[in-house]
Amino acid sequence: MVQQITPETTIEVIYPESDGQPMADNTEQFAWIVKIKENLEILFASPADVFIAGDLFWYPVQGNPNIKQAPDTMVVFGRPKGKRSSYLQWNEDNIPPQVVFEILSPGNTLKEMTKKLQFYQRYGVEEYYIYDPDKNDLNGLLSSGDSFEVIEEMNGWVSPRLGIRFILTPNTLEIVSPTGQKFLSPLEIDQLREEERQRAEQERQAKEAALQELEAASQEKEAALEELEKERDRYQELLAKLKQKGIETDNL
């Protein structure tokens, strides 16, 4: 009797793209997530190998969908831009996000944040920033070997990877790009764009008005020259008529 050998069944591992939870607990938290993520997108628009995402599941271990986190914002140097349903690290040259941001809300618990810290520490995050907009409190941690070290002074701190500067004012956090441009909300960016459009339109109108004045002055000059030419022709015609009548014109 010949025994038939059946091939082993490969079980497909599902890596969920959503946990069914909202991206943010309140409008303030959401606004900060959007501001940081979108301004980083603007800052790193030119390099093709900087991937930035917000609230995207990061799976660092193939075959284990239970090991995951969805940072409010993450930055990965060395990976191309593009659409992703989740960040499967083994499909990304095994490069973990180097920089992670978390924006706190009243719903965040100490246990939850401790688990996130341990996760980011274990799986290779280099810079971890936590901002509480309600308390206007910013904390940063920097990778040192197998652990994180707390950044003692965050006011004025410059991210080694991103080059951005954090400035804590009495009321809020300001983030400044290496070029000195403040991170702005989408509304502020749109207002700035509109102001620039209006300024450009005013300059265009001013140049157009100046050009019209030059054209008008040029036309007046041409008209004056034409009139002068006509006067010269009339003068020459008069001289010719006087000569025909025998009148001496040399002294005229």
Side-chain angles (χ1 to χ4, degrees), residues 23 43 145 179 195:
M23 179 178 177
L43 180 60
T179 61
E195 290 173 4

Side-chain angles (χ1 to χ4, degrees), residues 82-235:
K83 296 180 180 179
R84 290 167 176 79
S85 56
S86 56
Y87 190 81
L88 307 176
Q89 188 172 311
W90 55 92
N91 289 338
E92 306 283 355
D93 286 346
N94 207 34
I95 298 176
Q98 294 95 349
V99 185
V100 162
F101 290 84
E102 293 287 354
I103 307 300
L104 297 185
S105 71
N108 291 124
T109 64
L110 179 61
K111 180 179 180 181
E112 175 190 359
M113 298 312 296
T114 300
K115 284 185 175 180
K116 286 186 176 183
L117 188 150
Q118 291 173 340
F119 180 96
Y120 297 146
Q121 180 176 276
R122 179 174 182 181
Y123 292 107
V125 171
E126 298 175 12
E127 302 177 40
Y128 177 26
Y129 299 105
I130 311 115
Y131 181 57
D132 184 342
D134 289 337
K135 297 179 180 179
N136 190 29
D137 183 47
L138 175 67
N139 289 280
L141 299 105
L142 209 58
S143 175
S144 178
D146 296 329
S147 62
F148 276 136
E149 286 188 359
V150 174
I151 301 169
E152 296 296 337
E153 181 55 67
M154 282 304 302
N155 191 19
W157 172 261
V158 177
S159 161
R161 274 285 190 174
L162 306 176
I164 59 177
R165 183 183 300 274
F166 300 94
I167 300 173
L168 279 165
T169 70
N171 300 315
T172 189
L173 168 66
E174 292 182 354
I175 304 175
V176 183
S177 75
T179 61
Q181 175 64 51
K182 285 173 56 177
F183 276 25
L184 303 173
S185 69
L187 178 59
E188 290 170 328
I189 291 173
D190 185 67
Q191 289 173 339
L192 195 64
R193 186 185 297 114
E194 177 61 19
E195 290 173 4
E196 179 62 24
R197 187 197 67 78
Q198 291 180 359
R199 185 192 64 78
E201 177 63 17
Q202 289 172 354
E203 286 185 356
R204 185 194 67 79
Q205 291 178 356
K207 289 179 180 178
E208 188 175 281
L211 182 60
Q212 289 175 349
E213 288 181 3
L214 286 174
E215 289 178 349
S218 178
Q219 289 173 356
E220 289 179 2
K221 183 179 178 181
E222 288 180 3
L225 289 174
E226 287 179 2
E227 185 62 31
L228 183 62
E229 184 67 19
K230 289 178 181 178
E231 287 294 331
R232 189 184 70 81
D233 291 343
R234 286 196 290 269
Y235 180 71

